[in-house]
Amino acid sequence: MDYPGTLTQLIAPDLALGWQSGTDLTFTMRPISESAQKERTWNGKIVGLGSPEFRLYSYRITSGAGEYRMPALSRMWPDTVFSIVPPLPLGDVIPTGFQSRTLERTPYAPSVRCLTLGFEDVPFTLNGDVVTLSSPAAAPVRIYYQPILEVVVTEPWEATLREQAADVSWSLTCEEVGGTL
């Protein structure tokens, strides 16, 4: 846990999660809608025209039961940029016969795991975004890691209070920040 009293593994200092917040969060991740641009040829074959620069993720964070305090949402206006390490890991693979893989996102180092298909740990080293095994993979090796992301708020957040139950619920939608322009 990153913050005292919270049960989430989400790392997001700007949300100031703490005691009585982040108790049962739900994370929904998906590629942004603009990541898929496709056309069909004269005989119906799909041709992908999407640009790699648009391969970005959208995240929706929603509170669950037992939430009594809302995080610091008052400054999370649309277009606000902040950093997160979501607990929902990304997956990758080192194919049979290969020894290393460059991850597509910068990993939060303590979260990186390399596993056999039988879910046994495989020793590895991490240098920046590159995962390297001590020898070439005898079978596919799965990699799981939590990415360090810079995100931008894309929709107004939402918060609800059930007064008698002292129950708070909230949601925040954001997506990865794209290129440098």
Side-chain angles (χ1 to χ4, degrees), residues 3-169:
Y3 306 107
T6 188
L7 300 177
T8 185
Q9 293 180 21
L10 170 67
I11 299 172
D14 290 325
L15 291 179
L17 293 165
W19 187 62
Q20 297 184 334
S21 63
T23 56
D24 184 23
L25 301 181
T26 298
F27 298 85
T28 304
M29 174 182 76
R30 66 184 214 182
I32 63 170
S33 58
E34 296 86 356
S35 66
Q37 184 176 353
K38 55 190 179 277
E39 296 289 333
R40 292 194 180 266
T41 64
W42 64 272
N43 64 353
K45 180 180 177 184
I46 290 180
V47 177
L49 303 174
S51 175
E53 291 81 15
F54 286 84
R55 291 181 181 164
L56 303 170
Y57 293 113
S58 172
Y59 287 88
R60 181 168 178 83
I61 306 167
T62 308
S63 66
E67 195 86 352
Y68 298 104
R69 301 279 182 233
M70 161 172 111
L73 295 176
S74 65
R75 294 186 185 266
M76 291 291 151
W77 295 99
D79 299 328
T80 300
V81 175
F82 66 105
S83 295
I84 65 171
V85 176
L88 182 60
L90 295 178
D92 207 332
V93 65
I94 297 176
T96 302
F98 289 80
Q99 193 168 350
S100 66
R101 182 68 137 191
T102 300
L103 302 174
E104 291 191 344
R105 303 293 187 281
T106 300
Y108 176 60
S111 74
V112 180
R113 289 190 71 191
C114 290
L115 303 165
T116 65
L117 298 179
F119 215 71
E120 296 167 353
D121 283 305
V122 176
F124 67 93
T125 58
L126 180 66
N127 185 3
D129 298 350
V130 180
V131 174
T132 304
L133 305 177
S134 56
S135 62
V141 173
R142 296 182 293 178
I143 305 168
Y144 294 103
Y145 68 99
Q146 292 170 246
I148 300 170
L149 301 173
E150 186 175 33
V151 296
V152 59
V153 176
T154 56
E155 297 177 21
W157 51 268
E158 186 174 85
T160 304
L161 168 67
R162 289 185 50 227
E163 192 173 27
Q164 290 295 316
D167 185 40
V168 171
S169 61

